[in-house]
Amino acid sequence: MNRSNHIPGPDVTVRGLRIPSLLSTLIAQGRWRHPGDDTMSRLIPWFEDPLDFLTSLERIERESVALDRIADHEPAQLFREVRGTTRDTPVELPWLDVEQAVLIAVCRFAGDDVALALDYRTDAVDPRVVGTDIWTDPQLYEWRTVAPTFSAFAAALNLAA
């Protein structure tokens, strides 16, 4: 991780991906925090399990390593996570290209296997936010768009004010 005196700046990276400056600022100011389950339910109505926001760059980096572990093993098909560089065609939703994603929130309870991620396939500076969906069709695990950009996500949660 690229850090300068442990204070997030505009060029902070995790797994080689530039963290949006707004997220870096929210983390540095202690404002990147869960807004409450009711607020999350209004924003992501299909999402039934509670989440914990990853409130430090270290946690974002540590938790995001799980994306690589899943993509490199059998559950990749179940969780719809792949490495884009191993494919002949672009990886699109409902699949997640783990090489173009970092986690920003993970399941509150172990075993729920749900998360929110920044998906850099749409924009390297202000990536979209995607979330897992195992509730719409319990036979089908997929990734869905939560917000078109991280800045829109933060604004919808009243964190960017």
Side-chain angles (χ1 to χ4, degrees), residues 6-136:
H6 303 287
I7 298 171
D11 295 320
V12 174
T13 61
V14 170
R15 303 177 74 240
L17 300 167
R18 185 176 171 263
I19 296 299
S21 58
L22 176 57
L23 178 55
S24 294
T25 299
L26 292 171
I27 289 171
Q29 295 174 351
R31 296 183 331 167
W32 176 241
R33 59 188 179 276
H34 194 289
D37 292 337
D38 289 341
T39 300
M40 293 299 290
S41 291
R42 283 190 295 278
L43 180 61
I44 316 170
W46 78 83
F47 214 99
E48 296 181 16
D49 293 339
L51 292 167
D52 282 337
F53 278 30
L54 302 175
T55 57
S56 71
L57 295 170
E58 291 80 9
R59 277 204 69 206
I60 290 171
E61 186 167 40
R62 185 173 60 244
E63 293 287 344
S64 294
V65 169
L67 296 172
D68 295 322
R69 285 194 304 265
I70 291 170
D72 293 339
H73 295 91
E74 189 64 33
Q77 293 298 317
L78 171 67
F79 292 114
R80 292 191 181 216
E81 296 178 13
V82 297
R83 291 182 180 280
T85 56
T86 66
R87 305 292 177 190
D88 293 332
T89 58
V91 177
E92 301 293 340
L93 292 177
W95 288 81
L96 184 69
D97 181 346
V98 301
E99 295 169 332
Q100 295 296 317
V102 297
L103 298 176
I104 58 171
V106 296
C107 53
R108 186 174 300 157
F109 304 113
D112 282 354
D113 296 327
V114 295
L116 296 180
L118 297 178
D119 182 356
Y120 289 82
R121 291 176 289 184
T122 57
D123 192 320
V125 176
D126 196 7
R128 73 179 157 195
V129 176
V130 296
T132 51
D133 181 0
I134 60 173
W135 305 279
T136 301

